[in-house]
């Protein structure tokens, strides 16, 4: 597994036992650096994993209300600030701060992790926002260029015709499904590989892409993790975590668990500007230490996201041939679901509280992370 080689090269850590032995020191150093901030200065020193797990959780509300006090560098050291509105248009926004080195860690991760999807000398079409300097698209393009691939900055798709010829493609799950279905319907060549990111990646959608001959991989990341977090491998059985930069926990009823679904909690190990210690993401996820068939020692991660209804609808609807997209709206009686299809409308069995309508697919949509509309 390529991330194993990267971690060995950067940190001299090889294997699960070696990582476990190094982890207390990594966490101790992380907490000590964070204690330079006003927010974390009263945190106790950490020497063991038990010490670390005794630390309090932080939340999105802490980022909104106390984010500036979490800074460990002066304003001169900040390279990028990301502002996220989390409560409509009236709530206080979250702000995440990054130094140049913080962003470099992500570029380095992309330069290694993307070797699963792209190869030296190949072109990779990036169907993600790419205009913002140091944004996720820009960092990904720099990582691809560093590994010797050619990044094609496409941006969000409006039509399949806007996709240049490329061996691989990166984009949101639904946009990639729509793209590949349209290309196939037109008799055009499909990309050989696809990386799906920026939203929940349904297993059923992955299976649809693979049935078209596209080797599809999952990626999970969020702004809080520096965009990159965990990537699929050839075994397609969970995403491997960049454990040299991030320490993840799954918490259920206040306890850290493995091989069970719970809330994903993130700690950044090398973050300079704004370290996050035991940050509750709100995402439902699962971790395992069990060995992967690919041979990697890294933990594997599965993520369902925050809205269980979307995950359930995804698996149900995308398993149907012809379904390319849908919207869901909450009503007094349940959910109104509009299904967008190609060729033939699917025959979906009605369920209590579910009302389906069908429309031919005519255009790409993008509204950010998919959710049930109010």
């Amino acid at each position: 597994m390529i991330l194993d080689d990267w971690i060995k090269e950067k940190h001299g850590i090889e294997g699960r036992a070696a990582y476990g032995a190094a982890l207390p020191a990594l966490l101790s150093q992380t907490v000590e650096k964070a204690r330079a901030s006003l927010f974390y200065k009263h945190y106790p020193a950490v020497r063991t994993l038990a010490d670390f797990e005794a630390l309090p959780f932080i939340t999105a509300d802490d980022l909104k209300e106390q984010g500036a006090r979490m800074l460990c560098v002066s304003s001169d050291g900040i390279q990028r600030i990301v502002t996220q509105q989390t409560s409509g248009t009236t709530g206080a926004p979250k702000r995440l701060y990054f130094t140049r080195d913080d962003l470099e860690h992500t570029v380095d991760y992309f330069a290694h992790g993307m070797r699963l999807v792209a190869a030296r000398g190949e072109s990779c079409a990036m169907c993600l926002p790419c205009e913002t300097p140091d944004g996720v698209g820009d960092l990904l393009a720099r990582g691809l260029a560093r590994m010797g691939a050619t990044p094609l900055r496409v941006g969000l798709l409006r039509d399949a015709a806007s996709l240049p010829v490329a061996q691989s493609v990166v984009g949101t799950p639904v946009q990639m499904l729509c793209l590949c279905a349209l290309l196939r319907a037109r008799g055009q060549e499909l990309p050989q590989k696809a990386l799906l990111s920026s939203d929940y990646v349904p297993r059923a959608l992955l299976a649809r892409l693979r049935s078209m001959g596209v080797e599809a991989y999952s990626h999970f990341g969020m702004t809080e993790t520096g965009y990159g977090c965990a990537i699929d491998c050839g075994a397609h059985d969970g995403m491997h975590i960049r454990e040299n930069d991030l320490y993840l926990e799954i918490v259920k009823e206040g306890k850290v668990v493995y091989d069970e679904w719970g809330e994903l909690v993130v700690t950044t190990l090398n973050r300079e500007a704004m370290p996050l210690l035991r940050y509750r993401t709100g995402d439902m996820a699962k971790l395992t230490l069990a060995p992967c068939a690919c041979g990697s020692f890294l933990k594997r991660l599965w993520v369902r996201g925050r809205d269980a209804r979307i995950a359930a609808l995804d698996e149900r609807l995308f398993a149907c041939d012809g379904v390319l997209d849908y919207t869901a709206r909450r009503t007094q009686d349940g959910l109104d679901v509009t299904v967008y299809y190609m060729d033939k409308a699917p025959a979906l069995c009605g369920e209590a509280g579910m009302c389906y309508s069908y429309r031919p697919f005519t255009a790409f949509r993008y509204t950010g992370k998919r959710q049930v509309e109010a």
Side-chain angles (χ1 to χ4, degrees):
M1 176 62 180
I2 54 175
L3 292 185
D4 297 56
D5 295 338
W6 175 51
I7 291 173
K8 178 183 177 182
E9 178 185 336
K10 288 191 71 173
H11 305 282
I13 297 173
E14 184 176 13
R16 191 77 242 161
Y19 183 85
L23 181 59
L26 290 173
L27 294 173
S28 176
Q29 293 165 12
T30 296
V31 173
E32 196 58 35
K33 290 178 182 177
R35 290 170 67 190
S37 73
L38 294 173
F39 182 84
Y40 294 114
K41 68 177 183 179
H42 298 300
Y43 272 45
V46 163
R47 293 182 176 81
T48 66
L49 185 57
D51 290 342
F52 179 78
E53 291 179 353
L55 296 179
F57 298 112
I58 62 172
T59 67
D61 286 339
D62 291 314
L63 294 189
K64 289 185 287 185
E65 298 165 7
Q66 304 286 337
R69 300 180 73 247
M70 295 181 185
L71 288 175
C72 294
V73 298
S74 68
S75 59
D76 292 343
I78 301 299
Q79 174 74 12
R80 176 163 167 74
I81 303 173
V82 180
T83 301
Q84 295 181 326
Q85 192 69 43
T86 56
S87 302
T89 58
T90 58
K94 288 190 298 185
R95 287 192 173 87
L96 285 304
Y97 300 79
F98 302 91
T99 66
R100 186 178 300 276
D101 283 347
D102 291 337
L103 299 173
E104 168 59 26
H105 290 315
T106 296
V107 173
D108 195 29
Y109 163 69
F110 285 150
H112 288 78
M114 283 300 293
R115 293 179 188 179
L116 287 165
V117 182
R120 180 177 294 275
E122 293 184 348
S123 296
C124 180
M126 301 184 304
C127 303
L128 296 171
C130 300
E131 303 84 5
T132 304
D134 296 324
V136 61
D138 183 48
L139 298 176
L140 177 59
R142 285 152 56 183
L144 285 164
R146 183 175 297 180
M147 59 172 273
T150 301
L152 305 176
R153 300 179 183 234
V154 177
L156 295 171
L157 289 173
R158 303 303 176 195
D159 186 84
S162 63
L163 184 77
V165 176
Q167 287 77 33
S168 59
V169 63
V170 180
T172 65
V174 172
Q175 283 216 331
M176 294 301 94
L177 176 64
C178 295
L179 169 69
C180 291
L182 283 174
L183 291 175
R184 185 174 66 168
R186 297 174 182 179
Q188 295 176 252
E189 185 176 356
L190 275 64
Q192 299 166 15
K193 296 182 179 182
L195 183 72
L196 311 185
S197 190
S198 301
D199 202 354
Y200 170 66
V201 182
R203 296 186 305 276
L205 191 149
L206 287 167
R208 289 270 300 283
L209 288 174
R210 290 166 187 159
S211 72
M212 299 181 201
V214 179
E215 186 70 6
Y217 295 84
S218 302
H219 176 267
F220 172 77
M222 53 199 311
T223 307
E224 289 90 336
T225 65
Y227 303 112
C229 179
I231 192 167
D232 197 2
C233 69
H236 300 305
D237 188 19
M239 298 172 286
H240 294 283
I241 302 161
R242 52 188 282 208
E243 291 193 61
N244 52 331
D245 292 328
L246 299 168
Y247 179 66
L248 305 187
E249 302 168 276
I250 302 298
V251 175
K252 181 179 180 181
E253 298 176 353
K255 296 181 180 180
V256 176
V257 298
Y258 284 93
D259 301 305
E260 297 182 51
W261 291 94
E263 184 177 6
L264 177 64
V265 174
V266 171
T267 294
T268 58
L269 296 179
N270 297 305
R271 189 72 54 80
E272 288 184 335
M274 186 183 193
L276 300 180
L277 303 183
R278 308 201 80 197
Y279 172 71
R280 298 182 63 158
T281 66
D283 284 312
M284 294 300 293
K286 181 174 70 172
L287 277 175
T288 189
L289 287 165
C292 180
C294 77
S296 173
F297 77 82
L298 298 172
K299 294 177 186 176
R300 284 176 287 154
L301 173 72
W302 292 262
V303 180
R304 282 182 183 163
R306 300 185 181 188
D307 195 331
R309 295 169 299 180
I310 286 290
L313 280 169
D314 278 355
E315 300 301 346
R316 173 174 171 75
L317 296 179
F318 289 125
C320 301
D321 287 340
V323 173
L324 298 187
D325 198 357
Y326 72 88
T327 60
R329 183 171 61 87
R330 187 169 60 248
T331 67
Q332 287 184 341
D333 300 322
L335 291 179
D336 277 350
V337 181
T338 301
V339 176
Y340 298 88
Y341 66 90
M342 179 177 286
D343 297 331
K344 182 180 179 181
L348 295 168
C349 298
E351 301 175 17
M354 300 284 287
C355 180
Y356 291 107
S357 58
Y358 306 93
R359 294 181 185 176
F361 174 83
T362 58
F364 286 88
R365 294 186 324 109
Y366 181 77
T367 58
K369 289 189 181 294
R370 292 169 296 122
Q371 58 186 350
V372 174
E373 301 167 3

